[in-house]
Amino acid sequence: MSNNFDYTRVPFHYVHCLNQDCPRGGSCLRRLVALHIPKEVPAVMTVNPTLYPKDANRCRYFRSSEKRRYAWGISTLFDDIPYKQALMLKREIRDVYPKTTYYRILHQERPLSPEEQAGIAHIFTKNGVATAPAFNRYTEEYDWDE
């Protein structure tokens, strides 16, 4: 068991799985968090044991424990692009997100998922930009989305 798991990053209402016999438990995020519950945590939400499926491949509660690469910040995204083209790209990207979300992304308050990064890369490609977008920084994190 990994000792570098940070349980403080687990969302408050994240559902844990206590199924010790699940063949997919080694790659399930719900099982991983259950294995790292600190003794100071008095209670957690869990999958009801009566709902454990006979076929683990059909478990609707399974979440991959593989980390994903998130991008943070877009303040340097247009640095190497000609000004007029950068303005057009920026306008298109701003049209994808609500104003507050765009500014949270700009100021590294919200990460971009791999799918969102691909969407921005598509905007670059369709507008004739040959270089891939370079974000301010990247992190490897678990996908906590339900």
Side-chain angles (χ1 to χ4, degrees):
M1 179 166 53
S2 173
N3 290 334
N4 61 1
F5 185 84
D6 184 3
Y7 191 86
T8 63
R9 308 265 322 195
V10 178
F12 181 69
H13 286 307
Y14 198 72
V15 176
H16 298 51
C17 182
L18 303 174
N19 186 355
Q20 301 177 70
D21 300 323
C22 181
R24 295 178 75 192
S27 61
C28 181
L29 186 56
R30 295 190 192 284
R31 181 72 184 136
L32 180 66
V33 298
L35 292 172
H36 288 87
I37 302 169
K39 55 184 159 187
E40 300 81 32
V41 175
V44 295
M45 291 182 61
T46 66
V47 174
N48 181 343
T50 62
L51 297 178
Y52 294 159
K54 289 185 185 349
D55 179 3
N57 291 321
R58 293 182 179 258
C59 181
R60 68 183 205 166
Y61 300 101
F62 176 83
R63 296 293 179 269
S64 174
S65 62
E66 189 173 311
K67 288 187 174 185
R68 296 169 41 128
R69 187 173 190 234
Y70 288 88
W72 294 83
I74 55 174
S75 64
T76 60
L77 202 57
F78 311 107
D79 286 356
D80 298 327
I81 298 173
Y83 182 72
K84 284 187 178 180
Q85 192 174 24
L87 285 178
M88 183 176 57
L89 291 169
K90 185 176 183 178
R91 188 175 316 115
E92 244 186 273
I93 292 169
R94 286 184 68 172
D95 288 345
V96 172
Y97 299 99
K99 189 175 184 178
T100 55
T101 302
Y102 176 82
Y103 283 100
R104 289 185 63 221
I105 292 167
L106 176 67
H107 298 292
Q108 300 185 42
E109 296 171 2
R110 176 200 183 277
L112 288 161
S113 70
E115 295 80 14
E116 290 172 315
Q117 294 169 53
I120 290 174
H122 176 73
I123 291 171
F124 272 51
T125 303
K126 92 173 182 187
N127 285 290
V129 178
T131 58
F135 301 93
N136 293 53
R137 66 185 176 95
Y138 298 89
T139 58
E140 298 282 325
E141 301 188 31
Y142 295 110
D143 182 3
W144 299 109
D145 288 338
E146 299 286 333

